[in-house]
Amino acid sequence: MIRLRGITKAYGRTTALDGLELDVEDGEFFCLLGPSGAGKTTTLKTVAGLELPDAGTVELDGRDLAGVEPYDRGVAMCFESYALYPHRSVHDNLASPLRSPRHRLPAAEARARIMETAALLGIEALLDRPVGQLSNGQRQRVALGRVLVRPARAFLLDEPLSHLDAKLRQQMRAELKAIGAVRRTTTLYVTHDSVEALALGDRIGVIRDGRIVQTGTREEIWYRP
Ligand code: ADP
Ligand code: ADP
């Protein structure tokens, strides 16, 4: 599980996180919902180790992550700007995260991860195609695939559907929901879109001004007066 306690983070005079407390349970798909500037991305970066909090603790599966390098944290983060290799095949784009020295998997295991991830995202038939020839939606799937292919303890997803058109967004929401149900890997998913949060989240945390102001299941969030 992911546990954040008393996380404070300021950028100059701007307080991005103000004593934030958050618990994401094992295998849970947790949506962090809030307006622009609320501190969502900073929260993810704090878990990923890309920002260090001024105060507070970050734990993953009971391990205090203070001083642990990003690549050793066992999390896979997906940023808004995707780094795809347009001239390489879908297969190579999915394989490269598994080839880095620190995360190298045995070949058979890597192949199995790649095939499973491609199947989950419905892109098996595209494995030999260069990414540069794909449609927007297909590219988006490959970008997500580059995160989901990693044998991570937690996935951190930052508005991964934000630049898709409404129809594709809706379709990929359903797919993400299905993937979450199959994989049951702890997922912290950031969005400013309440429809998306209510559609995807096992639980939802509402963040405002660097604090969680409400947490609950979709029914609790939706019906609370
Ligand atoms: P969200 O993801 O909810 O839009 P952020 O975590 O990106 O919010 O930002 C929270 C606050 O911190 C905002 O006021 C933002 O302007 C500020 N902030 C974020 N990153 C930086 C940065 N690198 N330098 C200065 N201010 C920043
Ligand atoms: P390469 O450039 O070797 O094809 P990548 O650029 O995908 O591979 O990854 C380089 C290193 O950065 C690897 O250790 C990988 O695990 C790590 N890395 C890249 N992207 C992420 C991410 N989104 N989350 C966590 N680690 C990442």
Side-chain angles (χ1 to χ4, degrees):
M1 67 176 292
I2 302 169
R3 180 196 297 261
L4 302 184
R5 286 290 174 272
I7 301 288
T8 298
K9 174 74 187 178
Y11 296 101
R13 287 183 178 179
T14 306
T15 301
L17 300 179
D18 184 15
L20 182 121
E21 313 256 321
L22 181 64
D23 288 291
V24 181
E25 305 297 335
D26 265 342
E28 181 173 55
F29 199 119
F30 190 98
C31 284
L32 192 57
L33 169 69
S36 175
K40 303 184 296 297
T41 298
T42 305
T43 303
L44 284 194
K45 285 181 168 172
T46 302
V47 177
L50 303 175
E51 293 286 1
L52 298 180
D54 301 327
T57 56
V58 180
E59 277 180 24
L60 181 65
D61 298 337
R63 177 191 186 201
D64 186 340
L65 294 182
V68 179
E69 292 295 326
Y71 294 149
D72 293 329
R73 289 189 171 209
V75 301
M77 179 158 171
C78 168
F79 304 94
E80 259 189 280
S81 53
Y82 297 114
L84 293 175
Y85 302 102
H87 301 293
R88 296 210 223 152
S89 69
V90 169
H91 178 276
D92 286 358
N93 273 272
L94 296 181
S96 76
L98 304 179
R99 283 190 191 129
S100 71
R102 296 216 198 194
H103 298 278
R104 200 187 304 274
L105 288 184
E109 210 178 304
R111 202 171 309 121
R113 281 299 292 185
I114 291 166
M115 296 314 292
E116 189 207 44
T117 303
L120 282 172
L121 290 162
I123 52 176
E124 307 108 299
L126 304 174
L127 282 169
D128 294 329
R129 297 266 299 277
V131 163
Q133 291 179 6
L134 303 181
S135 71
N136 255 343
Q138 291 168 335
R139 252 182 256 182
Q140 194 87 17
R141 290 185 173 84
V142 179
L144 264 175
R146 280 174 58 81
V147 179
L148 301 179
V149 76
R150 293 167 205 264
R153 309 173 83 85
F155 297 125
L156 309 173
L157 305 180
D158 193 352
E159 308 245 12
L161 309 185
S162 62
H163 30 232
L164 296 181
D165 65 55
K167 183 156 171 263
L168 191 52
R169 195 158 56 225
Q170 201 174 352
Q171 190 181 338
M172 289 209 57
R173 243 181 234 153
E175 291 174 17
L176 268 173
K177 181 92 188 155
I179 291 169
V182 173
R183 278 277 177 87
R184 302 251 40 115
T185 302
T186 308
T187 302
L188 180 52
Y189 183 102
V190 155
T191 180
H192 65 273
D193 180 343
S194 55
V195 174
E196 192 154 302
L198 288 164
L200 281 173
D202 295 324
R203 285 192 308 140
I204 296 153
V206 180
I207 181 171
R208 195 166 300 150
D209 299 329
R211 288 169 161 276
I212 303 290
V213 293
Q214 194 180 358
T215 304
T217 62
R218 104 195 50 173
E219 290 76 16
E220 288 165 347
I221 296 283
W222 191 246
Y223 292 117
R224 191 161 298 185

